[in-house]
Amino acid sequence: MGLTKTEIFTDEQNQLSQLLKAMAHPARIAILQRILKSNTCICGDLVEELGLAQATISQHLKELKNAGIIQGTIEGVSVCYCINPIVWKQLELQLGAFLGSYKGEANCC
Amino acid sequence: MGLTKTEIFTDEQNQLSQLLKAMAHPARIAILQRILKSNTCICGDLVEELGLAQATISQHLKELKNAGIIQGTIEGVSVCYCINPIVWKQLELQLGAFLGSYKGEANCC
DNA sequence: TAATTATATTGCAATATTACGATAAGTCTT
DNA sequence: AAGACTTATCGTAATATTGCAATATAATTA
């Protein structure tokens, strides 16, 4: 096995889990935080700032890009990455609704 | 390799990525949604409602429990799971701050 | 055009995850 | 205690992820 059974879940569940998975790595959180901080985009600064090899950073960026969370633009020699506003907003809404649907303590456990 | 370099990240980054990872699977999202819906807890209903084997569900529950997102109480023959309010709130805050720190479009890409 | 710089891709080894059957462990009923 | 029932754990096979060196690709500069 070892293969997630996506067929049995809703599109929403699969989609949300994809986005979460893309963010579920400390390096990718660090990358996103870095992008959020320098409101402007960044590029290979990451390789210096995080302690990971260039190939590894590039791979993490690719995953974030594949998930649609960030987008990259070629800027001369380097590449400039930034948040994809649409996906980010969607994530914010979806996650907000999900997390917010918990109505504290009450009855259980 | 194949081993995440947690040493080089902050506790916050590692912790948040752990929580996200625990939720980053459609089955575990489905489980959480199920728990959120029946505000009360649930148990082996999941095995019937999701189309996964009992061992698989049990494993997913264990992961959610290990991450601290849910907690289980033995209730006679069955086990009752529910949200851990403290961790949930923390997640809500941390993620809210993270996602909310993006100040739309502006300059880039 | 050649050298330089920045990023992407490939190939690989180590480790992690997913799913499940089989089985163990625990609780309840009789 | 014996059986029924629920949940956990173990073992295993398939697949995915992580990280990096090496190399390829692309743009800029000399």
Side-chain angles (χ1 to χ4, degrees):
Chain A
M1 316 275 144
L3 190 136
T4 300
K5 283 187 159 181
T6 51
E7 333 82 68
I8 66 173
F9 302 106
T10 68
D11 286 352
E12 201 208 344
Q13 288 163 343
N14 285 317
Q15 200 188 319
L16 182 55
S17 69
Q18 287 268 51
L19 288 173
L20 291 176
K21 192 164 148 196
M23 298 198 303
H25 191 287
R28 295 197 287 272
I29 290 184
I31 288 173
L32 289 174
Q33 286 176 331
R34 186 47 236 267
I35 295 183
L36 289 169
K37 197 169 98 188
S38 348
N39 206 350
T40 328
C41 17
I42 38 160
C43 18
D45 304 347
L46 291 162
V47 179
E48 289 178 25
E49 297 182 25
L50 312 186
L52 290 170
Q54 183 268 322
T56 308
I57 299 287
S58 186
Q59 199 180 257
H60 283 305
L61 285 167
K62 190 180 173 187
E63 261 176 273
L64 287 170
K65 199 165 71 175
N66 282 345
I69 297 176
I70 63 173
Q71 55 199 182
T73 322
I74 296 172
E75 196 122 309
V77 187
S78 44
V79 174
C80 167
Y81 283 101
C82 63
I83 302 294
N84 178 329
I86 292 152
V87 174
W88 194 268
K89 277 295 165 214
Q90 193 207 330
L91 180 60
E92 212 170 347
L93 282 176
Q94 240 184 310
L95 258 186
F98 180 54
L99 292 173
S101 68
Y102 174 56
K103 304 304 177 201
E105 38 197 328
N107 8 31
C108 193
C109 299
Chain B
M1 316 274 144
L3 190 137
T4 299
K5 282 187 158 180
T6 51
E7 333 84 66
I8 67 173
F9 302 106
T10 68
D11 286 352
E12 202 208 342
Q13 288 163 343
N14 284 317
Q15 199 188 320
L16 182 55
S17 70
Q18 286 269 51
L19 288 173
L20 291 176
K21 191 164 147 195
M23 297 198 304
H25 190 286
R28 295 198 287 273
I29 291 187
I31 288 174
L32 289 173
Q33 285 177 330
R34 185 49 233 267
I35 296 183
L36 289 168
K37 198 169 97 187
S38 350
N39 206 351
T40 327
C41 17
I42 37 161
C43 18
D45 304 348
L46 290 162
V47 179
E48 289 179 24
E49 298 182 24
L50 311 185
L52 289 169
Q54 183 267 323
T56 308
I57 298 286
S58 186
Q59 198 179 258
H60 283 305
L61 285 167
K62 190 181 174 188
E63 263 175 273
L64 287 170
K65 198 165 70 176
N66 282 346
I69 298 176
I70 63 173
Q71 55 199 182
T73 321
I74 296 172
E75 195 121 309
V77 187
S78 44
V79 174
C80 167
Y81 283 101
C82 64
I83 301 294
N84 178 330
I86 292 150
V87 175
W88 194 267
K89 277 297 168 211
Q90 193 206 331
L91 180 61
E92 212 170 347
L93 282 175
Q94 239 183 310
L95 257 187
F98 179 54
L99 293 174
S101 68
Y102 174 55
K103 304 303 176 200
E105 39 198 327
N107 9 32
C108 194
C109 299

